[in-house]
């Protein structure tokens, strides 16, 4: 993790006060290091967690950290969000926002496609909210056994904020919270490569500050009171755009790029192109997500290896599965059909 503050040595408060979590969801921006996808089973998320930390000394003004994450998640279960809630308990408030509008304001018949899109976005957000609200075990009253107050997590779905306004608000607030425009913390924040490649983080911060203006007041006490932390999922390896393009993880965008200069074409001159022999669209999407976010959990890695080993050993069963079982699903997109029902 990289810290953007003079308070790098700050440690989390044992039995700390509650976390505030902000989640920005994008239904279409399922890109994690280069080219975009059209994946109806995953969503791109940016998550910012505001959590109190212990001050290291009298001169240390840093009292909170803003830890950010970007990742793909399964829109049917949001397992990665679920894991983060466990990690940052106790949680008091979760703000949920989306880069796409939840409402279709155009009532013309020509906007049928727009209405379907808005309905799909609303359904995904509702699923995410349901997952969060089900985690009553990470609220303060459940984490702290001495707390008799039966409080649950407050979940608020925020109105859509324009990307320009969200970015501007995040920049204005962080300039003060990180100690000023010329402070070392703010200069490091402005120069962070990951943030430059993941604009959703800035938009997510903007939604947080817009939802709770008290978090970014311009008082002397709040100046330099925050540090920005780049977080990672414990279950997956994060690959940035530079890394994925350097190893030709996916076909180059727009049919151009260094990968094409070495021969081949956009469909086979990448790791994804070589490995993708999937018989269905759902399989191709699963492979893509696995490549974008390589698993680092030993138990899950072993489970996948055992499945592959079984298919290698049983060549007859494997061929029957491909030619008889999966053949009926070729050309069908079950995930997309499911969201239309």
């Amino acid at each position: 993790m990289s810290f953007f503050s003079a308070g790098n040595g700050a440690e989390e408060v044992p039995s700390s006060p509650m976390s505030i979590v902000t989640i920005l969801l994008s239904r279409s921006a399922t890109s994690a290091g280069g080219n975009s996808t059209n994946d109806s089973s995953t969503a791109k998320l940016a998550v910012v967690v505001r959590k109190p930390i212990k001050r290291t000394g009298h001169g240390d003004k840093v009292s909170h950290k803003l830890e950010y994450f970007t990742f793909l998640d399964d829109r049917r279960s949001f397992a990665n969000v679920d894991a983060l809630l466990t990690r940052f308990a106790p949680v008091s408030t979760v703000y949920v926002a989306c880069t796409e509008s939840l409402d279709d304001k155009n009532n013309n018949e020509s906007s049928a496609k727009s209405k379907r899109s808005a309905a799909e976005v609303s359904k995904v957000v509702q699923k995410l909210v349901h997952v969060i609200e089900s985690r009553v075990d990470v609220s303060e009253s459940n984490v702290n056994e001495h707390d008799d107050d039966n409080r649950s997590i407050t979940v608020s779905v925020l109105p859509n904020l324009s990307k320009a306004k969200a970015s501007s608000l995040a920049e204005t607030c962080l300039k003060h919270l990180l100690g000023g425009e010329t402070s070392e913390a703010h200069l490091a924040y402005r120069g962070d490569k990951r943030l430059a490649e993941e604009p959703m983080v800035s938009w997510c911060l903007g939604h947080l500050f817009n939802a709770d203006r008290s978090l970014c007041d311009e008082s002397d006490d709040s100046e330099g009171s925050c540090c920005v932390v780049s977080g990672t999922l414990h279950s997956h390896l994060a690959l940035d755009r530079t890394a994925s393009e350097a190893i030709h993880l996916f076909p180059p965008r727009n049919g151009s790029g260094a990968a094409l200069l070495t021969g081949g074409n956009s469909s086979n001159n990448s790791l994804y192109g070589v490995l993708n022999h999937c018989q269905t669209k759902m399989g191709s999407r699963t492979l893509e997500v696995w490549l974008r976010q390589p698993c680092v959990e030993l138990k899950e890695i072993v489970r996948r290896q055992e499945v592959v080993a079984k298919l290698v050993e049983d060549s007859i069963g494997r061929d029957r599965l491909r030619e008889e079982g999966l053949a009926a699903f070729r050309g069908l997109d079950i995930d997309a059909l499911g969201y239309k029902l």
Side-chain angles (χ1 to χ4, degrees), residues 162-306:
S162 71
K163 297 173 182 178
K165 183 176 180 180
S167 297
S168 176
L169 184 58
E171 179 60 29
T172 300
C173 293
L174 286 177
K175 186 184 302 182
H176 178 76
L177 293 175
L178 293 177
E181 191 171 8
T182 59
S183 68
E184 181 180 349
H186 188 263
L187 291 175
Y189 160 76
R190 291 295 302 273
D192 180 53
K193 186 176 181 181
R194 184 181 177 190
L195 286 172
E197 294 182 347
E198 296 287 2
M200 280 186 64
V201 175
S202 179
W203 305 337
C204 187
L205 285 164
H207 279 83
L208 168 62
F209 295 137
N210 188 62
D212 190 345
R213 295 283 182 160
S214 66
L215 300 180
C216 56
D217 68 274
E218 296 186 358
S219 66
D220 293 339
D221 290 338
S222 64
E223 184 176 11
S225 62
C226 278
C227 62
V228 177
V229 182
S230 173
T232 57
L233 296 176
H234 289 163
S235 58
H236 298 86
L237 176 67
L239 291 177
D240 60 20
R241 177 178 301 177
T242 302
S244 63
E245 290 184 348
I247 63 175
H248 299 173
L249 191 62
F250 292 98
R253 290 165 292 172
N254 302 321
S256 62
L260 291 184
L261 299 179
T262 60
N265 55 58
S266 59
S267 64
N268 63 22
N269 204 351
S270 66
L271 182 60
Y272 173 78
V274 172
L275 295 177
N276 186 19
H277 296 283
C278 299
Q279 300 296 301
T280 66
K281 293 182 178 180
M282 295 80 73
S284 295
R285 281 200 293 262
T286 299
L287 174 63
E288 181 177 355
V289 172
W290 284 7
L291 290 176
R292 289 188 184 280
Q293 295 184 162
C295 180
V296 295
E297 286 189 338
L298 179 59
K299 184 177 181 180
E300 175 61 17
I301 292 173
V302 171
R303 186 190 71 82
R304 294 180 186 180
Q305 289 177 337
E306 290 175 346

Side-chain angles (χ1 to χ4, degrees), residues 18-325:
M18 296 177 288
S19 302
I20 298 177
V21 180
T22 306
I23 303 172
L24 179 63
L25 178 148
S26 176
R27 178 181 60 91
S28 58
T30 51
S31 173
N35 53 336
S36 298
T37 72
N38 185 20
D39 188 343
S40 61
S41 65
T42 61
K44 179 71 177 290
L45 287 92
V47 177
V48 173
V49 181
R50 182 182 185 271
K51 192 173 184 68
I53 55 177
K54 185 177 180 180
R55 301 189 184 192
T56 57
H58 179 71
D60 183 14
K61 294 187 63 176
V62 180
S63 59
H64 290 81
K65 73 174 180 179
L66 295 170
E67 187 168 1
Y68 69 86
F69 305 80
T70 57
F71 52 86
L72 299 177
D73 211 347
D74 190 329
R75 288 162 49 175
R76 295 160 295 189
S77 64
F78 288 103
N80 290 332
V81 171
D82 189 67
L84 281 181
L85 291 175
T86 300
R87 180 170 163 186
F88 289 104
V91 177
S92 64
T93 304
V94 179
Y95 295 117
V96 177
C98 188
T99 58
E100 294 90 6
S101 176
L102 300 178
D103 301 308
D104 178 52
K105 299 179 180 179
N106 189 344
N107 295 320
N108 297 330
E109 294 181 1
S110 60
S111 65
K113 182 177 180 181
S114 178
K115 290 180 180 179
R116 288 196 300 270
S117 177
E120 182 180 347
V121 171
S122 179
K123 187 174 182 179
V124 174
V125 171
Q126 289 175 9
K127 176 61 180 178
L128 175 57
V129 170
H130 174 73
V131 170
I132 298 169
E133 290 179 336
S134 69
R135 293 303 310 274
V136 293
D137 57 305
V138 299
S139 64
E140 183 182 29
S141 59
N142 284 280
V143 173
N144 186 355
E145 59 184 16
H146 302 293
D147 191 350
D148 296 328
D149 188 4
N150 188 26
R151 286 176 290 178
S152 59
I153 301 175
T154 300
V155 183
S156 299
V157 178
L158 304 178
N160 186 265
L161 198 63
S162 71
K163 297 173 182 178
K165 183 176 180 180
S167 297
S168 176
L169 184 58
E171 179 60 29
T172 300
C173 293
L174 286 177
K175 186 184 302 182
H176 178 76
L177 293 175
L178 293 177
E181 191 171 8
T182 59
S183 68
E184 181 180 349
H186 188 263
L187 291 175
Y189 160 76
R190 291 295 302 273
D192 180 53
K193 186 176 181 181
R194 184 181 177 190
L195 286 172
E197 294 182 347
E198 296 287 2
M200 280 186 64
V201 175
S202 179
W203 305 337
C204 187
L205 285 164
H207 279 83
L208 168 62
F209 295 137
N210 188 62
D212 190 345
R213 295 283 182 160
S214 66
L215 300 180
C216 56
D217 68 274
E218 296 186 358
S219 66
D220 293 339
D221 290 338
S222 64
E223 184 176 11
S225 62
C226 278
C227 62
V228 177
V229 182
S230 173
T232 57
L233 296 176
H234 289 163
S235 58
H236 298 86
L237 176 67
L239 291 177
D240 60 20
R241 177 178 301 177
T242 302
S244 63
E245 290 184 348
I247 63 175
H248 299 173
L249 191 62
F250 292 98
R253 290 165 292 172
N254 302 321
S256 62
L260 291 184
L261 299 179
T262 60
N265 55 58
S266 59
S267 64
N268 63 22
N269 204 351
S270 66
L271 182 60
Y272 173 78
V274 172
L275 295 177
N276 186 19
H277 296 283
C278 299
Q279 300 296 301
T280 66
K281 293 182 178 180
M282 295 80 73
S284 295
R285 281 200 293 262
T286 299
L287 174 63
E288 181 177 355
V289 172
W290 284 7
L291 290 176
R292 289 188 184 280
Q293 295 184 162
C295 180
V296 295
E297 286 189 338
L298 179 59
K299 184 177 181 180
E300 175 61 17
I301 292 173
V302 171
R303 186 190 71 82
R304 294 180 186 180
Q305 289 177 337
E306 290 175 346
V307 172
V308 172
K310 179 64 176 178
L311 292 174
V312 171
E313 294 170 0
D314 185 7
S315 60
I316 297 177
R318 180 187 68 233
D319 292 340
R320 288 190 62 188
L321 175 64
R322 289 171 62 91
E323 301 303 326
E324 299 177 18

